[in-house]
Structure formats: structure tokens, C-alpha cells
Amino acid sequence: VEWAEPNLVITMVDAGVPPTDFLYAQQWSLPLIGLESAWNLTYGSPDVIVAIMDSGIQSETVAGTTSPKHPDFNGAVSSGADKVYQFFDFVAMVPNNDATSIPHGMKCAGVAGALANNPSGSVVPGENEGIVGAAPNCRLMGLIRPTGWDEYPGAVAAEPTELQYADAFVWTAGFDPGSPYFPPQISPGADVISNSWVSKYAAPLSGTMQAAFDFLTTNGRG
């Protein structure tokens, strides 16, 4: 016997196909980390919800209906569900992001999950609008975190407590924080909660925040 081995089935995978979004050519970081090869397999699951706990995904509410203002978030994923699953403003405690004060949350949401291959309408023939996120087929939650962004000129000052933050995280993950100030429990909750900010006091985690994170990592996503 010269050799013995399984007779494997060969599955071909095409080389990465860049999305048609107008500004994709300027997103040098995405091919650098191999996302085009990953996109051959999937753009992400529409069953996965990524919450961006930040300054919100800009929205507008007309006649009681809230929708994203930017085309990279105003659309549907492959299941037909809305790209943005939930809006919530933890400052005003309202289910929208109409009062976004800075674009930081939009940038974070775009990096994570801006829609791919947006409908045509670009000024460049043959190109489509906007950018593409790392997981463009996952759904998003646009959240304004419990602060008035007092570190930015002209913003409304606010000093949220750690309990407000803990309750916000617990609610976002689909659990009931047991607070009379929060909206009804959502289902499903977020699979991923993304944060790109830090307390300006750089203090160690309190027992309250540690308990909240322990609860989420133990019970989140089932």
C-alpha cells in the first residue's frame, strides 16, 4: 500500500468580491483583515443583533414611526427584517435616536454593520452609496448611552450613575432590570454590546457594574 486516505469532496470558494458601496475603496482596513474572504462565506446572520451603546444612530420620528436617517442603516437584512432592530435614548428615555448630539455612534455602528451594496444613487455611475460594515447582514441597535455628553461643547450636562449604566446594559441584553424607569423588556436582546468609550474618571469597576457584566456573560445569548 503506497498510501491510504479519505476521498474528500472538494468545495471551491471564489476569491473575495468587493461590495459595490461607493466609499468601500477608501476602507483600507477591511481587506487588510481579510474580510473579503470572510464575506465569501457570509455577510453575517440576520439573527445576530449588535447593540452600539454610544451616541446613537441618527433617526427621525414622523407620525409615531421612527426610522434611520442614513441610507447605510435604512434598509433590510436578508431575512427582510429592518436593519435597525431597536432605537433607545437612555438620556430622554424614549424609543428613538432623534436627539443624537455627536456622530461618534454613527461611526461605530458603520464600522460594525453598515449595509453592503446599498441601492444605487451615487454620483458615480455604476457605484452605490455609502460604506460597508464588518458584518453588514447583522442587525443593529442604536442606543444613546445614559449621559448628556457633557464633555462636548454645547451638549446637555448630565452625570449618570453606575446603576443607570448597569440597568441599561441589562435591558439591552433582553432582561428586565427591575426599574420603573425602563421600558418593557425586549425579546430578543442583543447578542453583542459594543462600547468604544471609557469613564473619564478611569475608576475600577464598582461592585454594581461587575455584577451586571457577570450577569450578562453568564446569562446572555442563552
Side-chain angles (χ1 to χ4, degrees):
V1 177
E2 294 187 21
W3 69 80
E5 62 184 6
N7 182 23
L8 299 177
V9 173
I10 298 175
T11 301
M12 303 303 295
V13 178
D14 293 331
V17 179
T20 58
D21 301 83
F22 175 40
L23 296 175
Y24 174 67
Q26 299 181 39
Q27 293 184 266
W28 55 267
S29 60
L30 302 187
L32 186 66
I33 61 173
L35 271 178
E36 289 185 9
S37 296
W39 290 334
N40 280 325
L41 303 176
T42 179
Y43 267 168
S45 169
D47 296 327
V48 172
I49 299 167
V50 180
I52 309 297
M53 182 75 77
D54 207 278
S55 62
I57 297 174
Q58 294 171 357
S59 69
E60 57 183 350
T61 302
V62 178
T65 299
T66 300
S67 57
K69 294 182 70 174
H70 194 284
D72 265 315
F73 307 109
N74 197 354
V77 293
S78 60
S79 64
D82 290 339
K83 174 67 180 181
V84 178
Y85 165 60
Q86 290 274 347
F87 290 102
F88 202 78
D89 179 344
F90 288 108
V91 177
M93 299 302 286
V94 292
N96 62 58
N97 285 180
D98 293 2
T100 52
S101 55
I102 62 171
H104 190 268
M106 292 283 286
K107 297 174 186 178
C108 297
V111 167
L115 283 166
N117 304 320
N118 291 67
S120 59
S122 169
V123 295
V124 178
E127 296 283 4
N128 293 336
E129 286 286 355
I131 64 167
V132 61
N137 197 42
C138 292
R139 302 181 75 190
L140 294 171
M141 290 178 67
L143 306 172
I144 298 178
R145 64 185 179 92
T147 180
W149 293 92
D150 55 307
E151 61 266 47
Y152 294 90
V156 177
E159 292 291 344
T161 67
E162 291 188 319
L163 183 58
Q164 285 176 280
Y165 270 109
D167 285 347
F169 283 118
V170 169
W171 180 87
T172 299
F175 299 99
D176 182 2
S179 169
Y181 304 105
F182 274 70
Q185 182 177 352
I186 59 172
S187 182
D191 298 288
V192 177
I193 303 177
S194 173
N195 310 274
S196 55
W197 44 267
V198 66
S199 168
K200 62 185 178 182
Y201 304 111
L205 279 181
S206 66
T208 297
M209 291 304 302
Q210 187 64 62
F213 290 139
D214 288 346
F215 174 80
L216 296 183
T217 52
T218 301
N219 300 292
R221 293 191 294 195

